[in-house]
Amino acid sequence: MKAFILPSIIAAVAAEQAAWGQCGGSGWTGETTCVVGYTCQVSNEWYSQCVPGNAAPSASTTLETVVASSTAAPVPTKIAAAAISKADGTKFNIDGVTKYYAGTNSYWIGFLTNDNDVDNIMSQLQSSGLKILRVWGFNDVKSIPGSGTVYFQSFSGSTATINTGANGLQRLDVVVKAAEKYGIKLVINFVNNWTDYGGMAAYFSACGINSNEQWYQAAKCQTMYQNYIKSVISRYRTSTAVFAWELANEPRCKGCATSVLTSWIRKTSDYIRSLDSDHMITAGDEGFGLAGDGSYPYQFGEGINWEDNLALPNISFGTFHLYPQSWSVSNSFGNGWVTAHAKICQKLNKPCLFEEYGVTNAADHCPVESEWQKMSLAAKESGMAGDLFWQLGVTIKSTGQQTHNDGHTIYYGSSDWKCLVDNHVKNIG
Ligand SMILES: *[C@@H]1O[C@H](CO)[C@@H](O)[C@H](O)[C@H]1NC(C)=O
Ligand SMILES: *[C@@H]1O[C@H](CO)[C@@H](O)[C@H](O)[C@H]1NC(C)=O
């Protein structure tokens, strides 16, 4: 287990950054010196970290130079314009090519502990022609798990601590590096509405609230959340693997006025834009709250007004999901659902990403989901930009074990894969 310093030591040296914490980098306004036994090491222009060791005079001089110059100059863009994934009207442009793109979801890839496994999976995605991978950029815990267990942020008392150690964000670094190597583009999100991997609920006690509804509006929760966003973005600000930053997985605010989420999405997307002027930003919601047949998903009861949110200036594209079983609608409901969103994307001239979809009955995977894919692809000239099925399944190379089967999993090399990946990629062309 990496050095987690005792609370008493933190209290004694409150003006110094904790072990493994950030201590510098462009735009950093926090502590620039580290606790005893640690020294502030420059990782890159954007990020310096407290690592074990004693500060050499030359190192602190370097740090001061970096900090001083960054206050004068705006954050430079080290990423070539053509390497930035962007919106091009209602489509996506990736590596200079504007077209419809297919991809998938892997919430778990950043939690794997073997670098070769991650490399192997990215290589499989590349050879399959899947271009976009959505991953969990969060893993929040209320108490520090056993040695080696991966987590990204912990909460204790009234503080949040970001884990930048080997079982922390360094695992996400491996994902980003492998994605760069294989040309895979990542949607990286920052918090979960649900309690899987912590979610907003992991923040509750530390920021003194007790519901998601409060979380969106409580200043202390939002400061912690923005601080987390900043540390993730500062690591990958110039990576060619970033497709988009995503505010949350499936944010909802049940029974709230839709202005609550719209304000939060505006505030957060503006904040992200202030840190990164290059990459796309999206909300990550399920697509509720729009004109349609009046069934549950179209209603506004989960606090979402989809068009209002997509119209926000720093939101680059819209997301929607589709789970007929969870929503008590028929599988064929999906067709109207796709076109209803595409229509709004066309109106606002922003891309629509069909970001998650699944049916629970395994025998339905191919016939039902391939119909949705065809609907979505057919709408590529009228708002649809891409789709990501939920979820990726693989056999982990180092253990020979299959990844989580939640009933929606499509395993690499299976007949479902042929249907939903090989055929779909061929149809896209
Ligand atoms: C997700 O958000 C909705 C609406 O706020 C809420 O009802 C639900 O409980 C949330 N999920 C969790 C696990 O907090
Ligand atoms: C987008 O975010 C930036 C950075 O916070 C902000 O300056 C700008 O006003 C926002 N754009 C619009 C059009 O509101």
Side-chain angles (χ1 to χ4, degrees):
M1 186 138 120
K2 288 280 178 197
F4 292 106
I5 57 166
L6 298 169
S8 60
I9 301 178
I10 298 177
V13 290
E16 293 174 325
Q17 183 53 283
W20 307 106
Q22 185 175 0
C23 54
S26 186
W28 173 249
T29 54
E31 297 307 329
T32 55
T33 54
C34 302
V35 291
V36 175
Y38 285 77
T39 184
C40 188
Q41 187 182 77
V42 178
S43 305
N44 55 47
E45 193 170 344
W46 321 106
Y47 196 81
S48 300
Q49 188 179 19
C50 292
V51 298
N54 290 313
S58 60
S60 62
T61 309
T62 311
L63 177 71
E64 276 163 19
T65 310
V66 171
V67 171
S69 66
S70 72
T71 53
V75 175
T77 304
K78 287 201 290 189
I79 180 168
I84 303 168
S85 298
K86 47 184 124 16
D88 181 359
T90 57
K91 292 213 188 64
F92 293 125
N93 179 290
I94 298 181
D95 293 333
V97 180
T98 296
K99 61 170 214 167
Y100 184 99
Y101 285 97
T104 183
N105 286 271
S106 170
Y107 71 83
W108 42 262
I109 196 166
F111 314 147
L112 296 178
T113 51
N114 179 308
D115 296 9
N116 291 331
D117 289 336
V118 175
D119 188 273
N120 187 48
I121 293 163
M122 291 293 181
S123 147
Q124 290 171 337
L125 292 176
Q126 184 197 43
S127 61
S128 303
L130 294 177
K131 197 69 182 168
I132 306 171
L133 181 68
R134 179 165 172 261
V135 303
W136 277 193
F138 59 83
N139 185 337
D140 296 303
V141 296
K142 285 186 282 187
S143 58
I144 292 172
S147 172
T149 303
V150 176
Y151 73 94
F152 297 163
Q153 180 170 234
S154 63
F155 297 87
S156 167
S158 61
T159 51
T161 306
I162 297 163
N163 180 10
T164 55
N167 65 339
L169 286 171
Q170 290 178 31
R171 296 315 310 161
L172 199 54
D173 295 353
V174 170
V175 172
V176 173
K177 280 276 164 290
E180 285 172 0
K181 179 173 163 192
Y182 292 102
I184 303 300
K185 307 298 170 178
L186 304 170
V187 177
I188 300 178
N189 55 23
F190 300 118
V191 72
N192 204 354
N193 174 86
W194 310 100
T195 52
D196 304 279
Y197 299 94
M200 293 168 191
Y203 288 68
F204 286 0
S205 145
C207 60
I209 56 149
N210 53 37
S211 73
N212 285 19
E213 291 74 3
Q214 293 172 315
W215 185 91
Y216 296 108
Q217 305 175 78
K220 185 161 181 193
C221 307
Q222 291 303 304
T223 301
M224 288 173 165
Y225 169 63
Q226 291 195 349
N227 194 32
Y228 184 73
I229 289 176
K230 187 173 186 179
S231 58
V232 173
I233 292 184
S234 62
R235 294 175 96 83
Y236 317 124
R237 168 69 182 81
T238 57
S239 173
T240 56
V242 175
F243 182 73
W245 305 117
E246 180 167 287
L247 273 52
N249 175 49
E250 304 190 334
R252 291 183 182 184
C253 193
K254 201 177 186 63
C256 303
T258 60
S259 58
V260 173
L261 279 183
T262 302
S263 310
W264 170 74
I265 294 170
R266 177 190 287 275
K267 191 170 122 186
T268 310
S269 58
D270 286 358
Y271 177 67
I272 294 171
R273 185 55 75 229
S274 76
L275 302 174
D276 180 351
S277 55
D278 291 325
H279 292 111
M280 292 188 286
I281 304 170
T282 192
D285 66 287
E286 296 150 283
F288 298 146
L290 70 167
D293 67 12
S295 58
Y296 161 72
Y298 287 105
Q299 294 169 17
F300 296 77
E302 300 292 355
I304 292 171
N305 181 319
W306 203 73
E307 183 169 339
D308 280 2
N309 297 344
L310 184 58
L312 292 171
N314 282 317
I315 287 294
S316 316
F317 62 89
T319 61
F320 63 92
H321 300 178
L322 174 55
Y323 292 103
Q325 280 74 43
S326 315
W327 300 348
S328 305
V329 292
S330 66
N331 289 336
S332 60
F333 163 93
N335 298 342
W337 186 241
V338 170
T339 49
H341 289 90
K343 210 163 124 188
I344 295 176
C345 282
Q346 201 173 29
K347 177 177 164 193
L348 298 177
N349 197 33
K350 291 184 183 184
C352 259
L353 180 61
F354 187 11
E355 196 187 39
E356 286 189 21
Y357 52 88
V359 279
T360 43
N361 183 0
D364 289 343
H365 285 167
C366 172
V368 174
E369 295 177 30
S370 65
E371 276 312 302
W372 296 340
Q373 291 180 332
K374 284 179 193 135
M375 272 307 291
S376 183
L377 183 57
K380 70 177 182 188
E381 301 308 332
S382 51
M384 289 307 306
D387 69 86
L388 319 179
F389 65 87
W390 181 277
Q391 64 163 325
L392 172 67
V394 300
T395 300
I396 296 287
K397 205 173 175 184
S398 69
T399 62
Q401 298 198 322
Q402 287 200 323
T403 55
H404 182 206
N405 187 355
D406 62 357
H408 298 118
T409 309
I410 308 297
Y411 287 99
Y412 176 73
S414 66
S415 57
D416 279 348
W417 188 275
K418 285 197 183 70
C419 171
L420 298 172
V421 179
D422 298 344
N423 287 349
H424 188 38
V425 166
K426 204 163 68 201
N427 290 342
I428 292 170

